[in-house]
Amino acid sequence: HGVALKEIRADEKHPMNHTETPTDGLYTFDTNRLLCVSVADCCGVVLWNDDVMCAVHSGWKGTQQNIVSAMIDVVESRGISPRMLNVWLSPCATKRSYIVRSDVANYFPNHVQQVGDDQFLFDNHGAIREQVLERGVDSASITVCDECTMESYEYHSHRRDRDNAGRMAVFIGRSDGR
């Protein structure tokens, strides 16, 4: 639930060691890799073009810290324009069910709706989409899966199932090397 990013390089045989510091986003310029992040109510964000693949875990904390923009910074530092990226936002807790208190809502004034005393519905998809657009990604290149992890039992939801919740894998890879 932070903004730690890690590059997965072509020369790494076993790129992830479970004793490493937790990572919130992975990226690679090696088209023969498969990247994966674990989520349950948080949004999995994948970014890609012919030269790069990225997978990001963005809950409210990652969104508040603008982890997707940090990933775009990395990609841009390698000469790839944000206008050349495709973006997909995974199922997550949506604005229909994701209740937060004012301590979280205050970070996202344009993406909350008050529904009770110190209760706000939070639109994480909307906040991430706005951040991506602000970085120059073309709106036609952004796809948002509007399914809600809290509403559908087809998905794991920590907020709904608490200690019984599992996790989902959000992954990106290429089968043809492109």
Side-chain angles (χ1 to χ4, degrees), residues 111-149:
H111 299 285
V112 293
Q113 175 187 356
Q114 189 160 8
V115 293
D117 263 0
D118 201 32
Q119 290 189 336
F120 301 81
L121 288 171
F122 172 49
D123 183 7
N124 198 20
H125 276 148
I128 296 168
R129 187 175 192 284
E130 180 180 280
Q131 291 171 348
V132 169
L133 287 169
E134 287 174 353
R135 288 307 307 270
V137 174
D138 187 326
S139 64
S141 299
I142 303 169
T143 302
V144 178
C145 182
D146 196 36
E147 294 184 62
C148 181
T149 54

Side-chain angles (χ1 to χ4, degrees), residues 13 19 31 71 78 128 134:
K13 290 186 181 189
T19 62
T31 59
M71 184 63 81
R78 300 288 185 92
I128 296 168
E134 287 174 353

Side-chain angles (χ1 to χ4, degrees), residues 4-20:
L5 304 177
K6 178 176 174 54
E7 180 176 5
I8 305 301
R9 295 185 318 269
D11 61 348
E12 292 178 279
K13 290 186 181 189
H14 303 286
M16 295 303 290
N17 178 340
H18 293 290
T19 62
E20 284 188 74

